[in-house]
Amino acid sequence: MGDFAEAARDRIRDTLAERLPRFVWVTEHRIRRTPVDVVGRTDDSFVAVELEWHRADPANNTAKLFYYVDEGELAGYDRIAVFQLFTGYYDLASGGVSS
């Protein structure tokens, strides 16, 4: 991750912390060996935010998170939300977006 991407990630974390202060927000949280860009937690809720800048397989880490949830890796949380944000890199010149 480059300097700009790290600054954007940190700003997202800080903005979420201001708007949702009951959550503890961190960056580069690992679930098994998979790093999650931004994570927010309370006693009963878990929020993961994946930022996609320029990857050939942008759904890979997000898909792993769903497997981990299914396997009970995040047991103990009543609510789990996963968000994935994409840059304009994934916009297609012909319209629409890349898969």
Side-chain angles (χ1 to χ4, degrees):
M1 194 177 265
D3 291 342
F4 178 78
E6 288 177 2
R9 177 205 61 200
D10 292 350
R11 183 168 179 150
I12 289 168
R13 177 204 57 215
D14 295 345
T15 300
L16 288 168
E18 288 175 16
R19 294 183 181 183
L20 299 166
R22 72 182 191 98
F23 286 80
V24 174
W25 294 95
V26 298
T27 58
E28 295 302 312
H29 175 80
R30 291 198 175 268
I31 301 175
R32 294 188 191 173
R33 294 184 316 180
T34 302
V36 181
D37 294 311
V38 180
V39 163
R41 292 179 297 199
T42 66
D43 289 339
D44 64 348
S45 299
F46 183 92
V47 176
V49 181
E50 271 296 305
L51 308 173
E52 303 303 345
W53 294 92
H54 190 248
R55 287 180 57 138
D57 59 350
N60 189 42
N61 281 356
T62 303
K64 285 181 194 176
L65 293 177
F66 288 108
Y67 288 120
Y68 298 158
V69 168
D70 187 53
E71 293 172 353
E73 192 70 29
L74 298 173
Y77 292 104
D78 295 332
R79 287 176 278 182
I80 298 170
V82 177
F83 297 88
Q84 190 171 21
L85 307 176
F86 294 88
T87 65
Y89 169 79
Y90 298 96
D91 291 340
L92 299 175
S94 60
V97 293
S98 168
S99 63

